[in-house]
């Protein structure tokens, strides 16, 4: 049986995704929404971070209690639209490192073109959370996953806001070990590789270009 994406059905996320899709949403609102949704998603994406038990002194006595065991995380946005998801995630895990991978889609071929890569030196020891609002043909995501795997990363998650059904299938086919998290799976890609209904061009809407 083929794997599917983990789709966040939380009402707050679904509500904010509706606002994000709306073509009348301004860039300022779009940035705020992308950040808020990312933070809400981060709560679930970090669910399997291991804990260790410690003992602390409260004003009333001693408590055996749990803290994160020091597991190393790296958030890696795919430039440029992935940048819109970083601060939401960092609000939850401020100690995480941040790498950057620059990939854009050639408008004619829809093939990914790499132009930048800067990752934490110890990326091979870190759990990697790749961030990109859109998973369309999955070319950019598969390329970014290949890059972090070449640097030794083993435990990789891909987090997006909206995915195309065919993109989810391709990513699972090429990287069956990578779990996909998203807030919606849309059925169709148009002839230019845009997700329909989607939300349009995520980078342009985030940064007010075009
Ligand atoms: C968008 C988006 C993804 C990619 C998805 O980036 O942020 O990276 O397209 O499409 P794919 O799944 O078909 O590869 P874009 O190429 O528009 O670059 P930008 O973020 O620099 O605008
Ligand atoms: N990139 C975007 O920004 N939007 C899409 O719908 C597809 C790729």
């Amino acid at each position: 049986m083929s794997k599917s994406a983990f789709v966040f059905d939380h009402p707050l996320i679904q509500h904010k995704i509706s606002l994000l899709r709306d073509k009348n949403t301004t860039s300022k609102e779009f940035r705020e929404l992308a950040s808020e949704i990312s933070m809400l998603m981060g709560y679930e994406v970090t669910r399997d971070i291991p804990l260790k038990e410690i003992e602390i002194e409260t004003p009333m006595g001693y408590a055996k209690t749990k803290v994160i065991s020091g597991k190393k995380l790296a958030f890696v946005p795919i430039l440029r639209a992935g940048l819109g998801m970083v601060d939401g995630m960092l609000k939850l895990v401020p100690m995480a490192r941040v790498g950057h991978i620059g990939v854009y889609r050639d408008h004619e071929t829809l093939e990914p073109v790499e132009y930048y890569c800067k990752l934490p030196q110890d990326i091979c020891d870190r759990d990697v959370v790749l961030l990109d609002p859109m998973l369309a043909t999955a070319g950019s995501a598969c390329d970014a996953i290949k890059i972090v795997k070449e640097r030794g990363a083993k435990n990789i998650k891909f987090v997006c806001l909206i995915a195309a059904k065919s993109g989810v299938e391709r990513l699972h086919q090429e990287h069956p070990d990578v779990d996909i998290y998203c807030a919606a799976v849309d059925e169709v890609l148009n002839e230019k590789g845009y997700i329909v209904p989607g939300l349009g061009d995520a980078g342009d809407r985030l940064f007010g270009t075009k």
Side-chain angles (χ1 to χ4, degrees):
M1 201 176 71
S2 66
K3 269 170 73 172
S4 53
F6 181 101
V7 184
F8 291 88
D9 59 1
H10 193 287
L12 286 176
I13 294 182
Q14 289 301 313
H15 178 83
K16 289 175 192 294
I17 283 287
S18 303
L19 301 176
L20 199 71
R21 285 184 188 273
D22 189 331
K23 69 175 189 177
N24 295 313
T25 294
T26 64
S27 281
K28 174 180 178 289
E29 293 161 340
F30 194 95
R31 278 195 294 275
E32 290 166 356
L33 287 162
S35 171
E36 289 164 8
I37 296 167
S38 304
M39 187 170 73
L40 293 168
M41 285 179 149
Y43 185 73
E44 187 62 36
V45 170
T46 52
R47 176 173 284 284
D48 57 0
I49 291 182
L51 294 171
K52 65 176 179 190
E53 199 171 80
I54 59 162
E55 189 173 71
I56 53 165
E57 190 176 0
T58 78
M60 308 302 288
Y62 289 91
K64 282 199 187 328
T65 185
K66 288 177 180 149
V67 291
I68 289 167
S69 76
K71 182 83 183 168
K72 293 172 167 182
L73 261 186
F75 295 126
V76 180
I78 302 178
L79 304 178
R80 69 196 153 130
L83 289 174
M85 300 176 72
V86 176
D87 73 323
M89 291 280 170
L90 282 178
K91 279 192 182 120
L92 288 184
V93 194
M95 301 301 283
R97 298 292 162 89
V98 181
H100 295 86
I101 294 179
V103 180
Y104 71 87
R105 294 197 313 178
D106 181 288
H107 283 296
E108 299 299 320
T109 64
L110 300 185
E111 288 300 315
V113 181
E114 293 164 35
Y115 62 91
Y116 187 76
C117 181
K118 185 81 180 170
L119 298 171
Q121 267 188 341
D122 59 352
I123 192 83
C124 56
D125 299 325
R126 291 181 179 270
D127 287 355
V128 173
V129 180
L130 281 165
L131 304 171
D132 193 327
M134 310 305 279
L135 179 67
T137 66
S140 308
C142 288
D143 216 51
I145 293 168
K146 185 167 73 64
I147 291 168
V148 293
K149 281 187 174 174
E150 281 167 1
R151 305 286 185 95
K154 286 170 244 1
N155 189 3
I156 303 164
K157 293 174 178 172
F158 183 84
V159 184
C160 60
L161 303 182
I162 299 183
K165 202 172 162 198
S166 55
V168 171
E169 286 164 3
R170 176 174 167 194
L171 197 151
H172 278 323
Q173 205 166 16
E174 293 193 22
H175 298 283
D177 54 313
V178 176
D179 287 333
I180 304 172
Y181 297 78
C182 64
V185 180
D186 287 6
E187 287 292 322
V188 187
L189 281 183
N190 72 11
E191 69 286 354
K192 290 188 171 153
Y194 278 88
I195 300 174
V196 181
L199 51 71
D201 189 302
D204 284 342
R205 294 201 63 191
L206 264 172
F207 298 114
T209 43
K210 201 159 197 168

